[in-house]
Amino acid sequence: MLPTSDDLQVIYGPNAAERVAKSSVLVVGAGGVGCELLKNLATAGFLRITVIDLDTIDVSNLNRQFLFRRQHVGKSKAIEAANAISKFAPDAQIRPMMANVRDNTFDVTFFRQFTLVCNALDNLEARRHVNRMCLAADVPLIESGSTGYNGQASVIAKGVECYDCVQRLPQKTYAVCTIRSTPDKPVHCIVWAKYLFDLLFGPDDDANVLKDLDLNRSPTPAQPKQNGEAQHTASAENGHSEPLDKHQNGQSPVPDSANGKHFEEQKQTDPRKRLRYSSDDTAHIFAERVAHRVFVADIEAQRAMEDLWRQRSPPILFDVTSAAKKEPVSLEKVDLLSQSVWDADHSAAVFMAVLRDIINHRVSEIGSLTFDKDDNHAMLFVAAAANLRANAYGVPLQSPFATKGIAGNIVHAIATTNAMVGGIIVLEALKIATSDGKIDKCVTTFVSQAPRGSRVKTILCPEMLTKPNPKCFVCSNGQPHVSVDLDQFTLKQFREYVLKKKLSMKEPEVYVANNILYETYHDLDEDDVEMYQSNCNKTLAKLNVENGTQLTISDFKQNLKCTIHISHTENLLLDKPIQERFVLDGNVPVPTPQADSNDHDSAEDVDADEVVEVGEERQIADGVADKSAERLGPGAREINSRERAQPDGEVANAHVPSKDRERDAGTKRPLEESNAREESQKKKARS
């Protein structure tokens, strides 16, 4: 039986119970932790709750997100969670919003209407954004997370450590050449398959590491060996005695089907045609072209590079189209949660079927699709393509369940951990709500599995809140350092890959000394727009950014300003795609030894957004920074007197726009208008 309002007055005391009931709480995320949190808030007496979540319910959510049932699959998490809570807590006013919390609608004014904000997110970019918005709005934030048996909840506010203060473990990265040509682990094949999906169905991106496949620019393959021709073998001193043209399973590098009629017909396809779908393709033709170019023509080209295979077996050709005909599959019956490993023939059948199905049913989406672990077509494609790639290179094949764990960066959730974290969040929320927003009694609590054999079974470990990290560029005066090849990196790439992707900024403006390289006013003059667009296509060097330059960055959407120190390193990280050719802390990383090829952890973190820690602050050589302050770079507009840069690199009166324009009318709307807008969104969401 749920506690009544009278019960809560006895438990909390009359004044405290009233404060809790009147508190307005924003919950961001309605997943595993979010479901527990919403239930706990409503039953603990919080009656004014807004929940934001952009996601829809997937079958895989049902084992731990208990507010949802099978009939809710495909529907909004926020809306269905609100409906479920209303059934057992009818006094609670739950306002659901199916939206992205990073949308411009949710500005500082929006956040200021809440007593506190609770994060229940699984997305780094969104977490960092909410952290900054709450600091700007001066609203306490309870940050939380869970991974397997581990979890935590902590309070963030001005004067204590924020989310960006803490060093996060960097993602594991892999060299492009390994992904492209020499995979030796399942994760390499899965990352490759994700790139292939984006290449075929996503935006036409020249930065995709498989772009040469699309344009058919693979190296010219050597002539195949004739029967009886000697095979390469490794010397005895390398410990190999088997022919390197065979994998351990004894498969021939060129299967018998390669000599069949169908294989010869495939070779007659126009080699100049792009791999991506075109309007004159049928689903059948498109699927066969992809299968042949990816698993035959490209493998032939890779095999021709003999230097790659002196220490390992070369990849084998595999006629995917013929193999797929051995056991046709129905995609509706394929279980992505199965832990049975698909063999090469079954993977081929799924691969061809999903290619045809996307063309037949989602052709209008081609060009905008990107990999999403909750998109069945995407997961079927990646699971099948990764296994076919693994089969070619002698890498162990994976079950679809294991593939999803790697491709989606999933450490499979434990419902009990989510429940514990949800309870801890509410305990901290009660402290804030009953003390007029004060956080002096709040703590950070860690959840962990009790160590085996230990005398003290410590599962919950509370700690006092810590002071801000003085090197944090969000809540302190930290100044990041970026090493980059200034002759290669453009301003557009700097904004997109460094400021937006790595530092999770929303709409960053870039200043150098008294000059504006890029700004984001909503009513810019046409001449300004043209100039800034022109600047975006110029390299940083052509904008007179040089070694030692200090850039001032302002993001008015997040009320954030910082100084970034630039270092020039020629030909930096040329083996990586352009979006990774920079180092945020100013040091070129030392390559780490390759992990053992037998390490196939399905929970390995493959390509989650990397969390960047700002490195040690470095002294700028005397006179170097001064030079950048004396120049008026080409394409830069001079800042007027009200925006003049200060000695510390921050822009004075940054909220006062040039030319007497209001910088962002969206951040100055009255509360009544904001509430009216949200009520309108609520009605739309419910409809």
Side-chain angles (χ1 to χ4, degrees), residues 15 22 53 81 101 160 182 186 248-249 312 361 368 403 444 490 515 578 586 625 658 664-665:
N15 293 334
K22 290 183 177 180
D53 198 310
V101 73
V160 298
T182 57
Q248 292 180 357
N249 59 14
R312 60 174 292 185
H361 298 101
S368 61
T403 298
T444 296
T490 65
N515 312 327
I578 187 66
S658 63
D664 186 1

Short mmCIF file of all heavy atoms in Angstrom, two decimals, residues 15 22 53 81 101 160 182 186 248-249 312 361 368 403 444 490 515 578 586 625 658 664-665:
data_model
loop_
_atom_site.label_atom_id
_atom_site.label_comp_id
_atom_site.label_asym_id
_atom_site.label_seq_id
_atom_site.Cartn_x
_atom_site.Cartn_y
_atom_site.Cartn_z
N ASN A 15 5.91 20.56 7.66
CA ASN A 15 6.55 21.54 6.78
C ASN A 15 7.36 20.87 5.68
O ASN A 15 7.32 21.28 4.52
CB ASN A 15 7.45 22.47 7.60
CG ASN A 15 6.66 23.36 8.54
OD1 ASN A 15 5.49 23.65 8.29
ND2 ASN A 15 7.28 23.78 9.63
N LYS A 22 5.41 20.47 -3.09
CA LYS A 22 5.44 21.66 -3.95
C LYS A 22 6.69 21.72 -4.83
O LYS A 22 6.77 22.57 -5.72
CB LYS A 22 5.36 22.92 -3.09
CG LYS A 22 4.00 23.13 -2.43
CD LYS A 22 3.97 24.43 -1.65
CE LYS A 22 2.59 24.68 -1.04
NZ LYS A 22 2.55 25.96 -0.28
N ASP A 53 12.32 12.32 -22.49
CA ASP A 53 13.05 11.22 -23.11
C ASP A 53 12.66 11.17 -24.57
O ASP A 53 11.48 11.20 -24.91
CB ASP A 53 12.74 9.87 -22.43
CG ASP A 53 13.79 8.81 -22.75
OD1 ASP A 53 14.11 8.64 -23.95
OD2 ASP A 53 14.29 8.16 -21.82
N ALA A 81 5.68 5.96 -19.50
CA ALA A 81 6.08 5.99 -18.09
C ALA A 81 5.14 6.88 -17.28
O ALA A 81 4.72 6.52 -16.17
CB ALA A 81 7.52 6.48 -17.96
N VAL A 101 16.75 16.59 -24.90
CA VAL A 101 17.00 17.62 -23.90
C VAL A 101 17.99 18.66 -24.41
O VAL A 101 18.09 19.75 -23.84
CB VAL A 101 17.51 16.98 -22.59
CG1 VAL A 101 18.95 16.49 -22.74
CG2 VAL A 101 17.38 17.93 -21.41
N VAL A 160 30.65 22.78 -5.84
CA VAL A 160 31.12 21.40 -5.70
C VAL A 160 31.46 20.87 -7.09
O VAL A 160 31.17 21.49 -8.11
CB VAL A 160 30.07 20.49 -5.02
CG1 VAL A 160 29.79 20.97 -3.61
CG2 VAL A 160 28.78 20.43 -5.83
N THR A 182 43.34 -5.36 -41.67
CA THR A 182 43.94 -6.46 -40.91
C THR A 182 43.23 -6.72 -39.58
O THR A 182 43.86 -6.71 -38.52
CB THR A 182 45.43 -6.17 -40.65
OG1 THR A 182 45.54 -4.91 -39.97
CG2 THR A 182 46.22 -6.13 -41.94
N PRO A 186 37.03 -9.82 -32.88
CA PRO A 186 35.63 -9.58 -33.25
C PRO A 186 35.26 -8.10 -33.25
O PRO A 186 34.49 -7.65 -34.10
CB PRO A 186 34.86 -10.36 -32.17
CG PRO A 186 35.77 -11.46 -31.78
CD PRO A 186 37.15 -10.87 -31.84
N GLN A 248 42.76 -21.81 -39.84
CA GLN A 248 42.83 -23.01 -39.03
C GLN A 248 41.69 -23.98 -39.31
O GLN A 248 41.81 -25.17 -39.08
CB GLN A 248 42.84 -22.63 -37.55
CG GLN A 248 44.12 -21.91 -37.14
CD GLN A 248 44.10 -21.55 -35.67
OE1 GLN A 248 43.12 -21.79 -34.98
NE2 GLN A 248 45.20 -21.00 -35.19
N ASN A 249 40.56 -23.46 -39.82
CA ASN A 249 39.45 -24.35 -40.11
C ASN A 249 39.63 -25.09 -41.44
O ASN A 249 38.77 -25.86 -41.85
CB ASN A 249 38.13 -23.58 -40.13
CG ASN A 249 38.14 -22.46 -41.16
OD1 ASN A 249 39.00 -22.41 -42.03
ND2 ASN A 249 37.17 -21.56 -41.06
N ARG A 312 50.73 -13.80 -41.04
CA ARG A 312 49.40 -14.33 -40.76
C ARG A 312 48.74 -14.75 -42.07
O ARG A 312 49.20 -14.37 -43.16
CB ARG A 312 48.52 -13.31 -40.05
CG ARG A 312 48.30 -12.03 -40.83
CD ARG A 312 47.31 -11.10 -40.15
NE ARG A 312 45.96 -11.64 -40.16
CZ ARG A 312 44.89 -10.99 -39.73
NH1 ARG A 312 45.03 -9.77 -39.23
NH2 ARG A 312 43.70 -11.54 -39.76
N HIS A 361 11.54 -1.56 -48.17
CA HIS A 361 10.64 -0.96 -47.18
C HIS A 361 11.11 0.37 -46.60
O HIS A 361 10.33 1.07 -45.96
CB HIS A 361 10.41 -1.95 -46.02
CG HIS A 361 9.75 -3.23 -46.44
ND1 HIS A 361 10.45 -4.40 -46.64
CD2 HIS A 361 8.46 -3.51 -46.73
CE1 HIS A 361 9.61 -5.35 -47.01
NE2 HIS A 361 8.40 -4.84 -47.08
N SER A 368 19.90 9.03 -44.78
CA SER A 368 19.78 9.61 -43.44
C SER A 368 19.91 8.57 -42.33
O SER A 368 19.96 8.92 -41.16
CB SER A 368 18.44 10.35 -43.29
OG SER A 368 17.36 9.45 -43.46
N THR A 403 27.27 -9.56 -30.36
CA THR A 403 27.52 -8.47 -31.31
C THR A 403 26.82 -7.19 -30.86
O THR A 403 27.39 -6.10 -30.92
CB THR A 403 27.04 -8.86 -32.71
OG1 THR A 403 27.78 -10.00 -33.15
CG2 THR A 403 27.25 -7.73 -33.70
N THR A 444 27.82 11.86 -2.21
CA THR A 444 27.93 10.98 -3.38
C THR A 444 27.93 9.55 -2.87
O THR A 444 28.67 9.22 -1.94
CB THR A 444 29.24 11.26 -4.14
OG1 THR A 444 29.21 12.59 -4.66
CG2 THR A 444 29.42 10.27 -5.29
N THR A 490 40.45 22.52 -40.72
CA THR A 490 39.68 23.72 -41.02
C THR A 490 38.93 24.19 -39.78
O THR A 490 38.78 23.46 -38.80
CB THR A 490 38.67 23.46 -42.14
OG1 THR A 490 37.70 22.50 -41.68
CG2 THR A 490 39.36 22.93 -43.39
N ASN A 515 39.28 39.50 -32.77
CA ASN A 515 38.61 39.10 -34.00
C ASN A 515 37.60 37.99 -33.74
O ASN A 515 37.81 37.12 -32.89
CB ASN A 515 39.62 38.60 -35.03
CG ASN A 515 40.78 39.55 -35.19
OD1 ASN A 515 40.61 40.76 -35.06
ND2 ASN A 515 41.96 39.01 -35.44
N ILE A 578 40.04 12.13 -40.37
CA ILE A 578 40.25 13.56 -40.08
C ILE A 578 39.62 13.97 -38.77
O ILE A 578 40.15 14.82 -38.05
CB ILE A 578 39.70 14.43 -41.25
CG1 ILE A 578 40.06 15.90 -41.04
CG2 ILE A 578 38.21 14.23 -41.41
CD1 ILE A 578 41.53 16.19 -41.10
N GLY A 586 47.21 18.26 -25.68
CA GLY A 586 48.44 18.84 -26.20
C GLY A 586 49.58 17.87 -26.37
O GLY A 586 50.64 18.25 -26.85
N ALA A 625 51.89 34.34 -27.58
CA ALA A 625 50.48 34.70 -27.45
C ALA A 625 50.25 36.15 -27.82
O ALA A 625 49.20 36.50 -28.37
CB ALA A 625 50.00 34.43 -26.03
N SER A 658 26.98 42.43 -30.43
CA SER A 658 27.43 43.53 -31.26
C SER A 658 26.26 44.07 -32.06
O SER A 658 25.26 43.40 -32.26
CB SER A 658 28.53 43.05 -32.20
OG SER A 658 28.02 42.07 -33.07
N ASP A 664 20.19 36.05 -28.04
CA ASP A 664 19.37 34.85 -28.10
C ASP A 664 18.05 35.12 -27.40
O ASP A 664 17.93 34.98 -26.20
CB ASP A 664 20.10 33.68 -27.42
CG ASP A 664 19.33 32.37 -27.59
OD1 ASP A 664 18.27 32.39 -28.24
OD2 ASP A 664 19.79 31.37 -27.06
N ALA A 665 17.07 35.49 -28.20
CA ALA A 665 15.78 35.82 -27.61
C ALA A 665 15.18 34.64 -26.89
O ALA A 665 14.40 34.78 -25.96
CB ALA A 665 14.81 36.30 -28.71
#
